[in-house]
Every structure is written in C-alpha cells, then in structure tokens.
Amino acid sequence: MLKNLSFVFICLFGCLQISYSQSVSEVKDLDEKFVNWYNLSPKSDKIMGAAVDKLYSEKLNNNEPNNKIIVAVLDSGVDTEHEDLNNKIWINKNEIPNNGIDDDKNGYIDDVNGWNFLGNSKGEIVVKANYEELRIYRKFLKSYGTDDVNNIDFADENERILFLECKAVVDSVVNENAALKKDFEAISKNMLLAESILKEHLGIEQVNIQSVKKMDTPTAKIEWARDVYMLILELEWDYELIEGVLEEVNNVLDYHYNIDYNPRDIIGDNPDDINEKQYGNNKVQGVEAVHGTFVAGIIAGIRNNGIGINGIAENVRIMPLRVVPDGDEYDKDIANAIYYAVDNGANIINMSFGKNYSPNKKMVDDAMKYAEENNVLLVHSAGNEAQNLDEKLSYPNKLCADGHILKNWISVGASDMKKNKYLAGDFSNFGKKYVDVFAPGLNIVSTRPNNSYDVFNGTSFSSPVVSGVAALVWSYFPELTAIELKDILLNSVYELSRKKVLLPYDYEPIKGKVKFGNLSVTGGIINAYNAFIMAEDYVENRK
C-alpha cells in the first residue's frame, strides 16, 4: 500500500508546475540577474537573454522612439491598475467611459481599454470552460443522439476519426481523474488519521519528525501511522498540496471535461456564428488575470522605476482582450479579438495560448489573414507539450486550411538562461518548420494582479519576450512593414544552431542530444540588439 502511495505521489508531483508569488520587497531582494535575466545579453552578460539592456545602453541612450506601438494581449485578462503597468494600458480615446453608449460606433459599448469576449451585457463573466475535445464530443452526441460508433452515420471518414479521437480523450481523462480523486481523498483521510493516532500515542498537540523518529510502535496501528507520516515527510507533501491536487482534479471533472457544463450559455451567443459580434463586456481584467497580467509585464513593465521588474518596450501600450478562460479558448472569440485588435490600431498581437483541435479554424484563419493584410504582426507561443509541431500541429498556426501560409506569423519556443545542454526548455514544443525562434521562457519573473509578482515557466512567456522586442524595434523604425520586421527579427537571432542540447522531455531519462538548430527555423534566440542594428541598416540602405 505504501509503495503504491509513494508511486502516486511521485508521479503526480512531477506533473505539477510549481510557482511562487513575490512581494515587491522580495523581488527587490532577488539577484538582478535572476529577476530580469531575459533582458540580459549572451555576449555581454553570458546569459542567454534577449540583449535588451545592451540595446538600451549602447544604442538608444536617451533617444526617443519615433512611434508608439500598441500590443494587443489576447489572454485571460490584464490588471490595468498594476503599479508596474501604470500608463502602459491602451486607452480608446474615442470612447467616453461608463456612459453606456457606443461612442465610437465600433459595436462595443464602453470599450475604454479593450474588450472581454467571455461575458455578457449584464456584466457576467465566464471563468471556467470545457476543453475543445469535450465540446466536439458533446456536439456529436447532440447531433447523433448516441456515442455508439456502430450506430452513427458519419458524414465521412474524417468525421468518424475525429469523433473517436475526442471520445477516447474524454473517456481517458475522466476515468483517470476519477481514479485520482478517489486515491487522493483516501490519502487525505489517511494523513489526518495517522496524525491523530500519533498525537494520541505521543500525548502532544503537534507532531514533529523528532518525536516520531524516537517513538516506539507497540501496535500495528501505530506502526502504520508512523510509516504514513514518514512517507509524507520524505516526499515533502502536506495537506495544502494534497488539497491543491484535489482542487485541480475536481476542476477537470466539474468543468473541463463535464459534458453537462456549458458556460457558453452565460454569453448567450452561437459560438459557430462569426457574424454575431456584439457580445461580451468591457471587464478586461475578468476574475483570474494572472496569466495575462504576467504576459503584459514582460512586454511593457515600467523600466528602472525601482519597482518589480523591467519590461522590454518603453513606448508601448497594452490592449487587453480577454479570450482565454480556465479551459480552451473558443475559435470565434479568437477571431473576433483579432478583428477588434486590427480595427482599433494594434500593431502586434500576442497570443499565449493553444489547443489540440480547432473546429472553426476558418474563422481564425480569415481573421489572421485580415491582420496580415493590415500590417499587423502575430506572435504565438509554441506550446508546452514537448511535441514536434512538424509532426503534430497545434492551433492556431501559420498554415491556413486553404494552404495559405501566413507571412506575418512568429511561433516561439522557450529557452533557459544558460548555454548548456538544458538550453531548450524540457516542456517546449519545437519544430524545424513550425517553430520560428526560441526566447527566454524559464524562471521568468513578471507582474501579477494586485501589485504582486510571480515566477513562471512556459512558452506563454517566451512569446511576449518576442512581442516586446518587436515593439521596441518597431517603435524606432515605424516605416518597416510587419513582414519586414518579422524577417529582421528572425535573421538577427543569437545563432546557436550547432549547440548540442537535450531534446525536450528527454531529460529523465536522458536519451541523447540534438543540435539546437534542429528545434526551430532559425536555430537561435531572439536578440533585440542585433535586430535593431539590422533594422537600422535595412532602413538606411532603402533610402
């Protein structure tokens, strides 16, 4: 029993992403090379950052940029009042705040700072959502009235394959999480029981390791309690962590993969009808804005103000567009947010999200083509599944359903701060064709709601590094097109093609190394200093 418990503990513990919040004073106390390492230079600092500080100190000095860049952050919401984002939030000057009127006639009432596509006109907000495979599966059930594949007359073989894939995922996830819930409820119960037995046996109010090590075990019950307690200590688990696991499991069962839960009813629209655009509300922070606020801070956190972190671009404004719930985003919301961003002046759209299925891919493709036609750069996180995207694409991506390949698209993988075999993040997706570049994405410190800070890992945070660098360079060379800027960014990377690194998820056990150049189009890490110099030369030679 205890061996099985140990196995479950270790397996699940390995899957958890641990982060920790930091107060302002604690962030100040951290080593500067840790807090803002993504700003440092591979050459000057021997840290695999984006060479942002080097650009500011050696090339920009006090020179004011020529243009203000708007970066639309399509995400979970942004804390627009964060102290390190003060005056960095986009303001729709054509909208009078809180008058209940669509002053600028763009179809969105009181959209002063952006829009929340996950809500309704009553001010209600969608927080939890299903994953896309559950939504697809539910749609099939509604259409065919059964999940018995032998009694369904599928339109074609592709539809049949999609149904079987989604059904298999849903069944597997529900069964696994139901079993985990049962196991961890038992673990929680046994932990409490063991501690109660030990307290009674030792005659103390608080059990500690010293008292347990020295105690005798006159009965099998007391021996069992001691073994459970020692196992918990060995694994460094506690009640809070166990309850956190149960909370995540319940989240999956109650929301993500619950066929009876459909939050779209709150919005009241048809998610398959792109022509319905007047939905949502102006609550751009939403309820849970940790992810989006973190992304915004990397791009635009106020530099050198003695607070928190230094973002990358100074003359930039963040346009918050809330489209990512706790669950998978909807294709319709992504498409409408892209249209909104383009129509309201965004230069760059940062998209730190992704999913395995896109039932309304054409909606998103058309919106991204619209961005391409209107000179808007799209920057997207490659994803955290340690997959080769050349073999299995995630969504959205640069390959449109009609075969068109977006020229304004950059896909970003996650890299670490040291030039060693662990350079590529062990979780990062990769691909010689479908991941363009890597950027800092491990141990990143940035802004969190309510004037706090956090440390996270993920390609979600590599993408805003690239968006920030793009905004910084573009603010000095506004004459560049989005496609020209993309080409400059990708041709000016800190090149590491021949560096041997561990393939993502080959860390345990180690199965060998690959050349870093095999993991992306460029084989390098985004570099603001090099990009600025190349942009400078490009613009000068064009005169």
Side-chain angles (χ1 to χ4, degrees):
M1 171 65 177
L2 289 180
K3 287 183 179 179
N4 290 336
L5 275 181
S6 178
F7 175 76
V8 172
F9 270 115
I10 291 169
C11 288
L12 191 56
F13 184 73
C15 295
L16 292 177
Q17 179 178 346
I18 304 300
S19 66
Y20 54 93
S21 299
Q22 296 286 332
S23 69
V24 174
S25 61
E26 287 172 325
V27 169
K28 286 180 181 178
D29 292 339
L30 289 175
D31 186 337
E32 180 70 17
K33 283 193 173 183
F34 177 80
V35 175
N36 292 302
W37 78 263
Y38 55 86
N39 283 312
L40 300 181
S41 165
K43 287 190 175 181
S44 303
D45 306 300
K46 306 305 179 187
I47 298 291
M48 299 295 106
V52 174
D53 290 350
K54 180 179 174 69
L55 173 58
Y56 276 107
S57 63
E58 296 186 16
K59 297 292 293 183
L60 302 185
N61 298 317
N62 294 318
N63 296 330
E64 288 293 325
N66 299 320
N67 199 41
K68 188 172 292 181
I69 300 297
I70 298 172
V71 181
V73 173
L74 276 59
D75 217 292
S76 65
V78 175
D79 181 357
T80 59
E81 298 182 358
H82 195 287
E83 63 187 358
D84 227 356
L85 292 170
N86 187 32
N87 296 324
K88 288 295 193 81
I89 304 299
W90 173 75
I91 297 174
N92 182 359
K93 295 181 180 178
N94 296 318
E95 194 75 17
I96 299 171
N98 303 316
N99 67 351
I101 299 172
D102 180 15
D103 299 291
D104 60 1
K105 304 293 191 294
N106 70 349
Y108 301 95
I109 296 172
D110 290 334
D111 57 323
V112 177
N113 297 128
W115 196 250
N116 169 30
F117 289 90
L118 292 167
N120 60 31
S121 58
K122 299 176 183 177
E124 294 176 314
I125 294 172
V126 171
V127 179
K128 309 282 187 181
N130 307 130
Y131 279 107
E132 195 64 72
E133 49 266 32
L134 184 282
R135 295 196 288 250
I136 294 172
Y137 178 55
R138 180 169 55 211
K139 200 170 186 180
F140 274 121
L141 288 182
K142 185 176 180 180
S143 296
Y144 294 112
T146 179
D147 65 353
D148 182 355
V149 68
N150 296 316
N151 291 319
I152 297 176
D153 184 18
F154 292 106
D156 53 38
E157 182 61 17
N158 288 333
E159 186 178 83
R160 178 179 175 276
I161 291 171
L162 178 61
F163 172 80
L164 291 175
E165 282 184 2
C166 292
K167 182 180 187 304
V169 171
V170 171
D171 288 346
S172 174
V173 171
V174 169
N175 290 337
E176 287 176 6
N177 279 272
L180 276 175
K181 180 176 181 178
K182 182 178 179 181
D183 287 343
F184 274 84
E185 285 177 341
I187 289 168
S188 179
K189 181 179 179 180
N190 286 336
M191 286 172 65
L192 290 169
L193 178 59
E195 187 167 356
S196 175
I197 291 170
L198 294 175
K199 284 180 180 178
E200 181 180 355
H201 175 67
L202 295 169
I204 56 178
E205 292 293 325
Q206 187 67 41
V207 180
N208 58 67
I209 189 168
Q210 290 80 14
S211 60
V212 173
K213 276 184 175 181
K214 295 176 182 178
M215 64 178 272
D216 60 336
T217 55
T219 67
K221 182 172 77 170
I222 294 172
E223 183 179 6
W224 172 86
R226 182 199 61 187
D227 289 347
V228 170
Y229 182 81
M230 294 304 294
L231 173 62
I232 300 307
L233 286 179
E234 180 184 342
L235 296 174
E236 297 182 347
W237 282 59
D238 56 25
Y239 299 117
E240 184 178 354
L241 195 52
I242 295 293
E243 290 304 311
V245 171
L246 284 171
E247 183 179 348
E248 286 302 311
V249 167
N250 286 328
N251 206 27
V252 170
L253 295 174
D254 294 342
Y255 302 106
H256 296 161
Y257 287 90
N258 182 355
I259 203 162
D260 296 320
Y261 173 71
N262 185 1
R264 204 71 192 185
D265 294 340
I266 294 173
I267 298 173
D269 72 323
N270 177 3
D272 296 321
D273 185 359
I274 190 63
N275 295 312
E276 286 183 333
K277 296 181 183 294
Q278 278 64 53
Y279 63 95
N281 55 50
N282 67 350
K283 298 181 181 298
V284 296
Q285 180 166 340
V287 174
E288 180 54 70
V290 172
H291 194 277
T293 304
F294 199 94
V295 166
I298 296 168
I299 299 168
I302 302 170
R303 295 179 61 83
N304 305 316
N305 62 348
I307 297 175
I309 53 107
N310 287 342
I312 293 173
E314 287 193 313
N315 205 26
V316 65
R317 294 295 179 268
I318 298 295
M319 178 189 288
L321 296 172
R322 185 172 181 270
V323 294
V324 181
D326 179 5
D328 274 343
E329 61 279 0
Y330 294 82
D331 291 334
K332 176 182 174 180
D333 298 340
I334 300 306
N336 278 330
I338 292 172
Y339 286 124
Y340 181 99
V342 174
D343 290 342
N344 287 279
N347 307 99
I348 300 167
I349 297 176
N350 187 88
M351 298 180 287
S352 291
F353 52 79
K355 57 184 179 179
N356 294 322
Y357 297 94
S358 181
N360 288 306
K361 178 171 168 54
K362 187 178 184 303
M363 287 184 187
V364 182
D365 288 348
D366 289 346
M368 294 193 298
K369 288 178 186 177
Y370 184 70
E372 183 180 50
E373 293 163 2
N374 285 276
N375 199 38
V376 176
L377 183 68
L378 302 174
V379 184
H380 183 256
S381 57
N384 303 329
E385 294 77 33
Q387 293 179 351
N388 185 346
L389 296 185
D390 294 352
E391 298 175 357
K392 180 177 172 56
L393 281 170
S394 61
Y395 300 94
N397 55 63
K398 68 180 178 182
L399 178 61
C400 297
D402 63 2
H404 176 75
I405 297 177
L406 297 165
K407 298 180 180 65
N408 61 331
W409 173 276
I410 300 178
S411 176
V412 190
S415 53
D416 207 346
M417 66 175 71
K418 293 183 179 179
K419 186 180 176 181
N420 58 24
K421 64 183 180 181
Y422 300 107
L423 179 63
D426 64 341
F427 53 81
S428 180
N429 286 348
F430 56 93
K432 186 64 179 171
K433 288 171 55 180
Y434 286 101
V435 174
D436 295 297
V437 66
F438 275 67
L442 285 87
N443 293 314
I444 303 297
V445 180
S446 188
T447 47
R448 184 184 175 102
N450 302 315
N451 296 333
S452 61
Y453 300 83
D454 224 327
V455 184
F456 286 134
N457 299 328
T459 60
S460 282
F461 315 119
S462 305
S463 180
V465 171
V466 174
S467 292
V469 169
L472 175 57
V473 174
W474 216 354
S475 68
Y476 284 87
F477 304 103
E479 59 268 55
L480 292 172
T481 67
I483 295 172
E484 288 171 337
L485 176 61
K486 171 202 167 177
D487 290 342
I488 287 169
L489 292 172
L490 298 189
N491 285 309
S492 62
V493 299
Y494 183 74
E495 202 267 333
L496 289 160
S497 292
R498 296 184 179 181
K499 175 66 183 173
K500 291 288 189 72
V501 300
L502 294 176
L503 190 66
Y505 257 69
D506 271 357
Y507 288 19
E508 296 293 344
I510 295 174
K511 298 179 182 177
K513 299 178 182 178
V514 296
K515 290 182 179 179
F516 192 63
N518 292 335
L519 302 182
S520 69
V521 173
T522 62
I525 296 171
I526 200 75
N527 191 284
Y529 184 83
N530 293 347
F532 186 92
I533 292 174
M534 186 174 286
E536 195 173 39
D537 291 343
Y538 183 88
V539 171
E540 184 63 31
N541 291 332
R542 197 167 61 177
K543 290 180 180 178

